[in-house]
Amino acid sequence: MAEGAYAKFDGTQALGGVAKSWKRGMLLTNDRNTVVVQDELTFKEKENAYWSAHYSSDFVKNVEISEDGRTAYMYSASAITPVCGRFQSQQ
């Protein structure tokens, strides 16, 4: 297990029966300079899932999405924060 403070959440009921399961984990690591958010979704039927993040442009200077669309990195002036999922720009 990674070192740091973490929390787990079961949000299955919040999705109104669309998903079999939705679990979210958050980890504060790297001396609380890095936040990792991980969602695990299992749908009852094939679905499109949308994940968004709201952030201040004063803090986040750049966002990069990996070629496979499974990881996004948000860069600030002092830290790198990995976020896992499958990402696509909606610009």
Side-chain angles (χ1 to χ4, degrees):
M1 171 156 310
E3 290 187 31
Y6 66 93
K8 295 186 274 184
F9 169 75
D10 183 344
T12 306
Q13 290 183 334
L15 295 178
V18 174
K20 288 181 185 177
S21 175
W22 170 36
K23 307 274 194 268
R24 170 170 284 178
M26 297 183 74
L27 171 68
L28 289 172
T29 188
N30 188 23
D31 205 22
R32 297 191 181 200
N33 289 305
T34 301
V35 178
V36 178
V37 177
Q38 179 175 325
D39 284 316
E40 296 177 4
L41 290 153
T42 305
F43 291 104
K44 292 180 178 179
E45 298 178 16
K46 187 173 181 174
E47 296 282 347
N48 289 321
Y50 297 93
W51 193 97
S52 60
H54 300 271
Y55 57 86
S56 168
S57 62
D58 293 335
F59 177 72
V60 176
K61 301 302 180 193
N62 188 30
V63 176
E64 292 180 6
I65 299 172
S66 65
E67 285 188 35
D68 67 3
R70 296 190 56 84
T71 305
Y73 295 93
M74 297 176 158
Y75 297 94
S76 72
S78 62
I80 299 173
T81 304
V83 183
C84 296
R86 182 152 307 201
F87 297 90
Q88 174 180 334
S89 176
Q90 296 293 313
Q91 297 178 352

